[in-house]
Amino acid sequence: MIGIFGGTFDPVHTGHVRVALDIRQDLALDEVRLIPCNVSPHRCAPLASGAQRLAMLQAAIQDEAGLRVDDRELRRAAPSYTVDTLLSLRAELGDIPLCLMMGMDSFQALNTWHRWRDIMTLAHIVVMTRPGWLPPTQGEVAMLVEQHGVYDPTLLRGTSAGHVFLRPVSQLDISASRVRACIREGKSARYWVPDGAWGMIEKEGIYR
Ligand code: ATP
């Protein structure tokens, strides 16, 4: 069983890598793939280039066996939808259970994602708690939890997709926007960002 963790990673921060490790250990995942997205330039473009975001991510997790960077979205010419990424992973990996990991903030907006119901046919969804965000109590996403939520993580191994699992993880009140704002103000964001990535940010003057 493997975890799929997509994001802008502009930049990767300690919140991302710590919760990735939490879930890998808790669910005994063979690996977690961190997949930086390819954002369309006219929609809230990341400040760092795709190549920089990828390199920071690689530098951040290089020593951690079981965390792996997958650059398939950046290799595509156009921005890709999560559903397409999952289809391409399925074609490669066959029938194994896939766990699409996301923070509570992303999960709250899941019903706005392209073909969001199809995502459930391709992967389980593992939702990670995040400071400041509570599980949805009404609307389509709350219904999804009601209908597909499981409390026993061993059930995730029994089928390749279709369950929703909410998991408490390390509560780290760190976000990429906070990191960027801190650097913009001329302060240090060291220790919010894993060392390897922080070294790159300093050396290349990213986010100044
Ligand atoms: P920004 O502040 O720019 O919105 P971000 O910190 O949310 O960025 P993203 O790359 O957008 O980072 O997030 C990728 C995924 O990681 C999302 O599913 C998000 O919910 C999750 N995530 C980010 N930070 C945390 C955290 N501290 N704890 C749990 N999940 C997190």
Side-chain angles (χ1 to χ4, degrees):
M1 182 157 79
I2 77 169
I4 310 297
F5 189 16
T8 315
F9 301 113
D10 185 29
V12 59
H13 53 70
T14 315
H16 294 128
V17 289
R18 182 60 237 183
V19 300
L21 188 56
D22 283 346
I23 295 291
R24 168 161 143 72
Q25 293 182 143
D26 287 355
L27 301 185
L29 299 176
D30 298 317
E31 65 179 30
V32 171
R33 293 217 192 169
L34 295 105
I35 309 188
C37 65
N38 184 348
V39 189
S40 95
H42 46 270
R43 282 186 54 206
C44 239
L47 291 183
S49 68
Q52 283 173 322
R53 290 183 292 120
L54 179 67
M56 289 189 281
L57 203 46
Q58 277 161 339
I61 63 161
Q62 60 187 353
D63 301 330
E64 186 54 49
L67 299 187
R68 176 171 153 194
V69 182
D70 181 322
D71 68 351
R72 74 185 58 222
E73 291 197 4
L74 292 176
R75 274 190 276 115
R76 290 170 68 120
S80 41
Y81 293 111
T82 298
V83 69
D84 296 325
T85 303
L86 289 173
L87 281 166
S88 104
L89 285 161
R90 266 276 163 247
E92 247 169 56
L93 300 168
D95 248 3
I96 63 164
L98 296 179
C99 295
L100 178 66
M101 299 159 51
M102 63 184 76
M104 191 64 79
D105 55 314
S106 303
F107 184 60
Q108 289 268 10
L110 184 70
N111 58 335
T112 64
W113 293 23
H114 181 61
R115 291 172 59 194
W116 69 282
R117 289 191 189 277
D118 291 342
I119 289 177
M120 293 291 299
T121 66
L122 293 162
H124 299 303
I125 297 185
V126 172
V127 186
M128 304 174 289
T129 50
R130 191 170 181 183
W133 294 88
L134 292 170
T137 52
Q138 53 187 21
E140 289 178 314
V141 182
M143 289 266 284
L144 191 76
V145 180
E146 225 171 277
Q147 288 164 359
H148 300 279
V150 292
Y151 294 99
D152 176 3
T154 60
L155 292 176
L156 301 174
R157 289 185 182 274
T159 162
S160 58
H163 293 315
V164 177
F165 182 60
L166 272 56
R167 184 74 182 177
V169 290
S170 303
Q171 293 297 279
L172 295 163
D173 192 8
I174 307 173
S175 65
S177 28
R178 192 168 177 192
V179 169
R180 293 191 303 270
C182 180
I183 298 170
R184 212 167 35 236
E185 288 167 17
K187 297 181 192 152
S188 174
R190 193 171 180 199
Y191 307 126
W192 278 345
V193 174
D195 273 348
W198 179 245
M200 263 193 72
I201 291 175
E202 281 209 303
K203 188 159 160 243
E204 299 183 20
I206 314 172
Y207 308 114
R208 263 202 222 130

